[in-house]
Amino acid sequence: MIETWDKDGHHDLRLEVRDRHLAYLDAHEQSLLACGAKLSDDGSFASGGLYLLDVDDRDEAQSFIQNDPFHEAGLFQRVEVTRWRKAYLAGKREI
């Protein structure tokens, strides 16, 4: 699981890089279980993101996020990579 926090005042950068970011996600869809922006309560503003990846180890997760166009553009203030176990996914018990 990767959680990101955007730098304050960088919403325009997020919008500028968004199409490249989405293309990157499309190119790595085989590794993505889920991914999306963390939004304000009214849904009008993104302040970071959450990625659930199916990869073998932390190095793969780190490489994935470091090559994300959002990361390369300097959007993120903070990134945390945490090992996550699928217990339930899409209504199906995994363990």
Side-chain angles (χ1 to χ4, degrees):
M1 176 180 73
I2 302 170
E3 188 170 7
T4 65
W5 289 262
D6 292 1
K7 293 176 182 172
D8 290 338
H10 282 67
H11 185 70
D12 288 343
L13 178 61
R14 172 178 276 277
L15 296 177
E16 179 184 318
V17 179
R18 186 173 183 265
D19 287 343
R20 283 186 282 145
H21 164 74
L22 293 174
Y24 179 77
L25 297 179
D26 288 343
H28 293 86
E29 67 182 337
Q30 74 282 357
S31 299
L32 286 170
L33 298 174
C35 181
K38 299 185 298 185
L39 301 175
S40 59
D41 285 342
D42 67 2
S44 66
F45 185 81
S47 61
L50 185 67
Y51 305 71
L52 296 178
L53 301 176
D54 187 8
V55 294
D56 292 329
D57 56 37
R58 176 176 293 274
D59 288 342
E60 283 186 70
Q62 292 279 72
S63 178
F64 174 87
I65 198 63
Q66 288 173 347
N67 290 300
D68 185 317
F70 278 169
H71 188 281
E72 292 179 335
L75 177 63
F76 300 140
Q77 166 190 314
R78 183 170 144 210
V79 174
E80 286 189 17
V81 177
T82 305
R83 190 173 187 97
W84 178 78
R85 174 180 42 218
K86 292 182 285 187
Y88 278 83
L89 184 65
K92 180 181 173 193
R93 191 173 107 175
E94 300 285 335
I95 58 173

